[in-house]
Amino acid sequence: MNEFFKIFIIPGGLLLLFMFLSLIRLILGPTTPDRIVALDTINTLVVAGMILVGAAYEEVIYIDVAIVYALLSYIGTLYVAKYLEGEAKK
Amino acid sequence: MWLIILYIFLGIGVFFNCLGSVGLLRFPDVYTRLHAATKATTFGSIFTSLAVIAYSFSRWNACGDSKFRVLALHTIVALVCLVITNPTGAHAIARAAHRSGIMPKQAVIDELKEAKLK
């Protein structure tokens, strides 16, 4: 470990804490769009945390995983939103 | 010198991510929650990524290892992906929520619905 490991891993742990806070909203959200918003927030926090962990371990491949995760979570959000819209029309 | 910039960027990023997830818990309906969560977490993630970019540029200047150049470049690509996709996803969620009939709490007027009636 280099001396910069702690600088990046402590904010990563804090982001994990905020993910758990968003998970509370995902569990007790009264409607379906509330849950989607909570999931979208968790996805953004996961991408930020992956970038921080990649900088902490100095591994470029973790950043690549973060790029792919950002694009795939966007596709997932769009898909669920499209599904909700189609459900409302019936 | 750059260590101070790194601490400032990380502090701003973590603080705004905290505000985003707390706003998700505190606000009354889905639109205000979306407003708080999307804006604040996008801003916070931009700043944590900027901290990583500043860190890798400074390490690249210090030791000249090309690994840090690749780290900075890929972080910039991830940042661009995040900045483009996040507001688009939020727009899709808000549109789907309005189409599925969820009204904002304490709404005075709903101009979108009135426009659709015509």
PDB file of all heavy atoms in Angstrom, chain B residues 40-56:
ATOM      1  N   ALA B  40     -27.584  16.595  -6.678  1.00  0.00           N
ATOM      2  CA  ALA B  40     -26.518  16.594  -5.676  1.00  0.00           C
ATOM      3  C   ALA B  40     -25.533  15.465  -5.914  1.00  0.00           C
ATOM      4  O   ALA B  40     -24.321  15.668  -5.835  1.00  0.00           O
ATOM      5  CB  ALA B  40     -27.116  16.505  -4.284  1.00  0.00           C
ATOM      6  N   THR B  41     -26.027  14.256  -6.258  1.00  0.00           N
ATOM      7  CA  THR B  41     -25.060  13.165  -6.435  1.00  0.00           C
ATOM      8  C   THR B  41     -24.267  13.323  -7.727  1.00  0.00           C
ATOM      9  O   THR B  41     -23.110  12.909  -7.770  1.00  0.00           O
ATOM     10  CB  THR B  41     -25.737  11.797  -6.410  1.00  0.00           C
ATOM     11  OG1 THR B  41     -26.746  11.778  -7.390  1.00  0.00           O
ATOM     12  CG2 THR B  41     -26.307  11.501  -5.072  1.00  0.00           C
ATOM     13  N   THR B  42     -24.856  13.937  -8.770  1.00  0.00           N
ATOM     14  CA  THR B  42     -24.054  14.169  -9.974  1.00  0.00           C
ATOM     15  C   THR B  42     -22.933  15.155  -9.689  1.00  0.00           C
ATOM     16  O   THR B  42     -21.781  14.943 -10.081  1.00  0.00           O
ATOM     17  CB  THR B  42     -24.940  14.696 -11.115  1.00  0.00           C
ATOM     18  OG1 THR B  42     -26.035  13.821 -11.271  1.00  0.00           O
ATOM     19  CG2 THR B  42     -24.180  14.770 -12.401  1.00  0.00           C
ATOM     20  N   PHE B  43     -23.282  16.243  -8.976  1.00  0.00           N
ATOM     21  CA  PHE B  43     -22.263  17.240  -8.624  1.00  0.00           C
ATOM     22  C   PHE B  43     -21.166  16.626  -7.754  1.00  0.00           C
ATOM     23  O   PHE B  43     -19.969  16.831  -8.012  1.00  0.00           O
ATOM     24  CB  PHE B  43     -22.953  18.388  -7.882  1.00  0.00           C
ATOM     25  CG  PHE B  43     -22.100  19.585  -7.653  1.00  0.00           C
ATOM     26  CD1 PHE B  43     -21.827  20.448  -8.685  1.00  0.00           C
ATOM     27  CD2 PHE B  43     -21.590  19.851  -6.405  1.00  0.00           C
ATOM     28  CE1 PHE B  43     -21.051  21.558  -8.474  1.00  0.00           C
ATOM     29  CE2 PHE B  43     -20.811  20.959  -6.197  1.00  0.00           C
ATOM     30  CZ  PHE B  43     -20.539  21.816  -7.228  1.00  0.00           C
ATOM     31  N   GLY B  44     -21.566  15.832  -6.756  1.00  0.00           N
ATOM     32  CA  GLY B  44     -20.583  15.205  -5.881  1.00  0.00           C
ATOM     33  C   GLY B  44     -19.692  14.223  -6.615  1.00  0.00           C
ATOM     34  O   GLY B  44     -18.483  14.176  -6.396  1.00  0.00           O
ATOM     35  N   SER B  45     -20.284  13.445  -7.544  1.00  0.00           N
ATOM     36  CA  SER B  45     -19.473  12.478  -8.285  1.00  0.00           C
ATOM     37  C   SER B  45     -18.505  13.177  -9.224  1.00  0.00           C
ATOM     38  O   SER B  45     -17.382  12.696  -9.429  1.00  0.00           O
ATOM     39  CB  SER B  45     -20.375  11.539  -9.077  1.00  0.00           C
ATOM     40  OG  SER B  45     -21.273  10.927  -8.207  1.00  0.00           O
ATOM     41  N   ILE B  46     -18.918  14.329  -9.799  1.00  0.00           N
ATOM     42  CA  ILE B  46     -17.996  15.117 -10.618  1.00  0.00           C
ATOM     43  C   ILE B  46     -16.789  15.510  -9.787  1.00  0.00           C
ATOM     44  O   ILE B  46     -15.634  15.379 -10.225  1.00  0.00           O
ATOM     45  CB  ILE B  46     -18.696  16.368 -11.177  1.00  0.00           C
ATOM     46  CG1 ILE B  46     -19.658  15.999 -12.290  1.00  0.00           C
ATOM     47  CG2 ILE B  46     -17.686  17.365 -11.726  1.00  0.00           C
ATOM     48  CD1 ILE B  46     -20.515  17.149 -12.730  1.00  0.00           C
ATOM     49  N   PHE B  47     -17.033  15.950  -8.538  1.00  0.00           N
ATOM     50  CA  PHE B  47     -15.897  16.423  -7.754  1.00  0.00           C
ATOM     51  C   PHE B  47     -15.018  15.303  -7.240  1.00  0.00           C
ATOM     52  O   PHE B  47     -13.795  15.469  -7.200  1.00  0.00           O
ATOM     53  CB  PHE B  47     -16.369  17.323  -6.617  1.00  0.00           C
ATOM     54  CG  PHE B  47     -16.437  18.752  -7.040  1.00  0.00           C
ATOM     55  CD1 PHE B  47     -17.585  19.270  -7.579  1.00  0.00           C
ATOM     56  CD2 PHE B  47     -15.330  19.547  -6.956  1.00  0.00           C
ATOM     57  CE1 PHE B  47     -17.631  20.568  -8.011  1.00  0.00           C
ATOM     58  CE2 PHE B  47     -15.377  20.847  -7.388  1.00  0.00           C
ATOM     59  CZ  PHE B  47     -16.531  21.371  -7.918  1.00  0.00           C
ATOM     60  N   THR B  48     -15.586  14.117  -6.904  1.00  0.00           N
ATOM     61  CA  THR B  48     -14.692  13.024  -6.503  1.00  0.00           C
ATOM     62  C   THR B  48     -13.852  12.560  -7.698  1.00  0.00           C
ATOM     63  O   THR B  48     -12.674  12.241  -7.545  1.00  0.00           O
ATOM     64  CB  THR B  48     -15.481  11.850  -5.922  1.00  0.00           C
ATOM     65  OG1 THR B  48     -16.520  11.504  -6.812  1.00  0.00           O
ATOM     66  CG2 THR B  48     -16.059  12.191  -4.580  1.00  0.00           C
ATOM     67  N   SER B  49     -14.461  12.566  -8.912  1.00  0.00           N
ATOM     68  CA  SER B  49     -13.678  12.181 -10.087  1.00  0.00           C
ATOM     69  C   SER B  49     -12.593  13.212 -10.389  1.00  0.00           C
ATOM     70  O   SER B  49     -11.480  12.836 -10.784  1.00  0.00           O
ATOM     71  CB  SER B  49     -14.592  12.031 -11.292  1.00  0.00           C
ATOM     72  OG  SER B  49     -15.626  11.154 -11.001  1.00  0.00           O
ATOM     73  N   LEU B  50     -12.917  14.506 -10.183  1.00  0.00           N
ATOM     74  CA  LEU B  50     -11.888  15.536 -10.393  1.00  0.00           C
ATOM     75  C   LEU B  50     -10.733  15.366  -9.418  1.00  0.00           C
ATOM     76  O   LEU B  50      -9.576  15.624  -9.778  1.00  0.00           O
ATOM     77  CB  LEU B  50     -12.503  16.921 -10.217  1.00  0.00           C
ATOM     78  CG  LEU B  50     -13.264  17.488 -11.402  1.00  0.00           C
ATOM     79  CD1 LEU B  50     -13.743  18.875 -11.067  1.00  0.00           C
ATOM     80  CD2 LEU B  50     -12.378  17.545 -12.612  1.00  0.00           C
ATOM     81  N   ALA B  51     -11.037  14.916  -8.204  1.00  0.00           N
ATOM     82  CA  ALA B  51      -9.964  14.653  -7.244  1.00  0.00           C
ATOM     83  C   ALA B  51      -9.056  13.552  -7.748  1.00  0.00           C
ATOM     84  O   ALA B  51      -7.822  13.659  -7.660  1.00  0.00           O
ATOM     85  CB  ALA B  51     -10.558  14.280  -5.886  1.00  0.00           C
ATOM     86  N   VAL B  52      -9.655  12.474  -8.301  1.00  0.00           N
ATOM     87  CA  VAL B  52      -8.833  11.375  -8.832  1.00  0.00           C
ATOM     88  C   VAL B  52      -7.997  11.850 -10.016  1.00  0.00           C
ATOM     89  O   VAL B  52      -6.817  11.490 -10.157  1.00  0.00           O
ATOM     90  CB  VAL B  52      -9.743  10.188  -9.224  1.00  0.00           C
ATOM     91  CG1 VAL B  52      -8.952   9.121  -9.922  1.00  0.00           C
ATOM     92  CG2 VAL B  52     -10.399   9.623  -8.010  1.00  0.00           C
ATOM     93  N   ILE B  53      -8.592  12.720 -10.882  1.00  0.00           N
ATOM     94  CA  ILE B  53      -7.843  13.232 -12.036  1.00  0.00           C
ATOM     95  C   ILE B  53      -6.664  14.086 -11.571  1.00  0.00           C
ATOM     96  O   ILE B  53      -5.538  13.937 -12.076  1.00  0.00           O
ATOM     97  CB  ILE B  53      -8.787  14.038 -12.945  1.00  0.00           C
ATOM     98  CG1 ILE B  53      -9.790  13.106 -13.616  1.00  0.00           C
ATOM     99  CG2 ILE B  53      -8.014  14.769 -14.018  1.00  0.00           C
ATOM    100  CD1 ILE B  53     -10.903  13.830 -14.297  1.00  0.00           C
ATOM    101  N   ALA B  54      -6.895  14.958 -10.577  1.00  0.00           N
ATOM    102  CA  ALA B  54      -5.809  15.802 -10.063  1.00  0.00           C
ATOM    103  C   ALA B  54      -4.701  14.948  -9.449  1.00  0.00           C
ATOM    104  O   ALA B  54      -3.509  15.191  -9.670  1.00  0.00           O
ATOM    105  CB  ALA B  54      -6.364  16.777  -9.023  1.00  0.00           C
ATOM    106  N   TYR B  55      -5.121  13.901  -8.699  1.00  0.00           N
ATOM    107  CA  TYR B  55      -4.155  12.993  -8.088  1.00  0.00           C
ATOM    108  C   TYR B  55      -3.290  12.313  -9.138  1.00  0.00           C
ATOM    109  O   TYR B  55      -2.051  12.294  -9.046  1.00  0.00           O
ATOM    110  CB  TYR B  55      -4.915  11.958  -7.262  1.00  0.00           C
ATOM    111  CG  TYR B  55      -4.126  10.755  -6.871  1.00  0.00           C
ATOM    112  CD1 TYR B  55      -3.180  10.825  -5.866  1.00  0.00           C
ATOM    113  CD2 TYR B  55      -4.351   9.533  -7.498  1.00  0.00           C
ATOM    114  CE1 TYR B  55      -2.468   9.715  -5.504  1.00  0.00           C
ATOM    115  CE2 TYR B  55      -3.645   8.421  -7.136  1.00  0.00           C
ATOM    116  CZ  TYR B  55      -2.698   8.512  -6.151  1.00  0.00           C
ATOM    117  OH  TYR B  55      -1.994   7.426  -5.804  1.00  0.00           O
ATOM    118  N   SER B  56      -3.937  11.783 -10.207  1.00  0.00           N
ATOM    119  CA  SER B  56      -3.137  11.033 -11.180  1.00  0.00           C
ATOM    120  C   SER B  56      -2.254  11.951 -12.016  1.00  0.00           C
ATOM    121  O   SER B  56      -1.131  11.575 -12.361  1.00  0.00           O
ATOM    122  CB  SER B  56      -4.034  10.173 -12.061  1.00  0.00           C
ATOM    123  OG  SER B  56      -5.134  10.892 -12.499  1.00  0.00           O
TER     124      SER B  56
END
